[in-house]
Amino acid sequence: MPNVTALSAVTIVVTDMAASTSFYESLGFEKIYGGPDAGFTSYRAGQSYLNLMFGTLQDEALRFRAIFYVDDVDEFHDHAVNAGIKPMFEPRDAPWRERYFHVKDPDGNEISFAKPLQSD
């Protein structure tokens, strides 16, 4: 059985990316991806990450996502499918250098399983 190895990140929806990036940067978070004009911004938080994703709070869309690192994303995807869980999409590579996929828990919260891609 594949292993969950760490809590990688928490993603929250923000309605004003510029104000949010200013807020988190003023607290000392180190930006590693995105910025005030981006739809997605990531900050280092120790060995984990805080992600901001632009959206509206009126939508019934994502408001929160927990991201867990796993040993092998594709193997973990197969494990989830075999357990009767329907992932939102097949594993894919992201521009921020992770391979990942999402599932929804019984309350509709998104849970992501990921692994950093090796540098070339």
Side-chain angles (χ1 to χ4, degrees):
M1 178 199 272
N3 292 316
V4 174
T5 60
L7 174 63
S8 165
V10 171
T11 300
I12 58 174
V13 174
V14 299
T15 59
D16 184 334
M17 186 64 77
S20 294
T21 56
S22 177
F23 174 80
Y24 285 102
E25 288 169 22
S26 71
L27 290 171
F29 282 83
E30 175 192 356
K31 181 177 65 187
I32 58 171
Y33 183 88
D37 298 321
F40 181 85
T41 300
S42 187
Y43 292 96
R44 191 171 314 284
Q47 293 184 6
S48 299
Y49 302 92
L50 169 66
N51 300 321
L52 308 178
M53 186 168 71
F54 177 77
T56 62
L57 298 180
Q58 290 78 25
D59 296 339
E60 286 298 317
L62 172 73
R63 294 199 181 114
F64 171 85
R65 175 185 298 137
I67 301 140
F68 294 93
Y69 278 160
V70 295
D71 290 335
D72 183 304
V73 172
D74 294 277
E75 183 181 344
F76 205 89
H77 177 270
D78 292 346
H79 172 73
V81 169
N82 290 335
I85 296 168
K86 184 176 178 179
M88 297 170 66
F89 51 84
E90 296 287 321
R92 60 177 75 155
D93 294 347
W96 53 89
R97 309 282 306 141
E98 284 184 332
R99 184 155 180 81
Y100 74 106
F101 72 96
H102 301 325
V103 299
K104 286 193 176 184
D105 75 5
D107 289 312
N109 298 302
E110 285 188 13
I111 308 299
S112 182
F113 297 97
K115 181 173 184 175
L117 293 171
Q118 302 249 341
S119 297
D120 296 333

